[in-house]
Amino acid sequence: MRNTTLWCAIALGLGLAQSAAAVLRVSPSGVGSAVYVPYYTVEDGRASLLTVSNSSDQPTMVRVLFAEAQNGQSVMSFNVMLPAQSVWSASVSALADGAKVTSQSSVCTVPVLATFAPGFTFVNFDYAHNHPDGGSTGTARVRTGAVEVIELGALTGALGEATAALDCEDIMAAYVNTGSGVPVRTGQILAPTGQISAKVNVIEVVKGLINTIEGVAIEGFSEVPQDVTGDDYLPRISTPRLGQTTPEFVVDGPNGRLVFASNRGPDAISSLFMRSEIG
């Protein structure tokens, strides 16, 4: 009764949806256009295995971003080019003063993870330099956190074909401007399929234990393609994207819908996760 009363009050304060809008909801099937996996760790002898799956019949590109636990700042991000009906996996392991991610998968990444023999070392650039937040600045802070997986868009044309063929050199070439200054990838990134899922298995080798952390998938996160190649800050799980004809975000929950203006995407996501916990 208290939950129903609470959400009725909020709904009255924000108004109910009256027009076409991007509808955000927690996916009951575990697949969506964005996934939040709330935990990875390499502390106390643990390692974490991240698995990202594409269950659609189209190749697609996703952004994988690791966020540290103290303030959710980015410590590593890159793109993964997933063929249709494919799975990509990577391990997060401890370093003496931090953590790193490595992968043996043949699925391509941008940059190409396989060319970095020791893997991608997590960095403190954001919280120590770009966005200092008053917390610790050492790299020990990267050893525990969360993972954000955001589908940037389905792939077509030569970029889609190279993704399906696992041709990482051609994919890297598609991220280099041609002599005319027009990227080869132009027009080859479509709207997201909404068929992405992810999870983390936290492995305690000494105890022989594996704990599975299922990702929370969001439906309706983005209606438009996002061509992101080197931006370490956006997109984030807090930044859903509206289509050109959708003026506002709507959060769909068990007791109705809440409406948020186009500049309140982070609030819409916060509300979505709150509703999933107390609805």
Side-chain angles (χ1 to χ4, degrees):
M1 178 65 71
R2 283 184 296 175
N3 285 352
T4 301
T5 302
L6 171 64
W7 287 113
C8 285
I10 294 176
L12 288 172
L14 295 175
L16 295 178
Q18 300 295 328
S19 59
V23 179
L24 294 163
R25 59 173 62 91
V26 172
S27 170
S29 65
V31 299
S33 50
V35 186
Y36 182 72
V37 189
Y39 187 63
Y40 77 83
T41 188
V42 298
E43 295 285 19
D44 301 321
R46 297 180 178 91
S48 294
L49 178 67
L50 170 65
T51 302
V52 180
S53 301
N54 172 24
S55 57
S56 78
D57 292 327
Q58 291 180 274
T60 193
M61 174 170 60
V62 302
R63 186 73 159 178
V64 172
L65 183 146
F66 293 87
E68 50 79 31
Q70 286 189 30
N71 199 27
Q73 297 220 48
S74 172
V75 296
M76 177 53 58
S77 64
F78 48 88
N79 292 354
V80 181
M81 319 298 285
L82 290 164
Q85 302 291 335
S86 67
V87 176
W88 174 81
S89 61
S91 62
V92 183
S93 55
L95 296 174
D97 57 350
K100 66 177 181 178
V101 57
T102 57
S103 177
Q104 301 300 316
S105 173
S106 57
V107 169
C108 299
T109 62
V110 178
V112 180
L113 182 57
T115 63
F116 292 79
F120 288 159
T121 299
F122 290 179
V123 295
N124 65 348
F125 295 158
D126 269 14
Y127 60 81
H129 304 289
N130 297 328
H131 307 287
D133 55 17
S136 62
T137 59
T139 52
R141 182 167 162 176
V142 310
R143 293 167 66 91
T144 298
V147 187
E148 302 176 11
V149 181
I150 297 172
E151 186 179 14
L152 302 179
L155 303 175
T156 188
L159 187 55
E161 293 172 2
T163 296
L166 306 176
D167 193 336
C168 301
E169 290 186 5
D170 276 4
I171 290 173
M172 283 300 295
Y175 278 85
V176 178
N177 288 344
T178 62
S180 64
V182 178
V184 177
R185 63 186 180 274
T186 299
Q188 299 182 47
I189 304 174
L190 309 177
T193 66
Q195 296 295 310
I196 300 301
S197 59
K199 65 180 179 180
V200 165
N201 287 323
V202 178
I203 303 167
E204 298 185 60
V205 177
V206 174
K207 297 180 179 180
L209 298 176
I210 298 177
N211 296 305
T212 300
I213 315 298
E214 297 288 351
V216 179
I218 301 172
E219 295 179 352
F221 184 85
S222 177
E223 299 180 347
V224 296
Q226 302 185 68
D227 188 0
V228 179
T229 58
D231 188 339
D232 286 335
Y233 313 114
L234 291 175
R236 294 294 305 264
I237 201 70
S238 60
T239 59
R241 293 287 300 274
L242 289 169
Q244 293 183 347
T245 60
T246 48
E248 56 200 4
F249 296 101
V250 170
V251 174
D252 199 0
N255 298 312
R257 291 183 170 184
L258 305 179
V259 179
F260 295 85
S262 59
N263 63 345
R264 295 186 60 197
D267 293 333
I269 294 294
S270 294
S271 175
L272 178 70
F273 278 95
M274 289 173 62
R275 295 182 72 119
S276 70
E277 289 298 319
I278 70 175

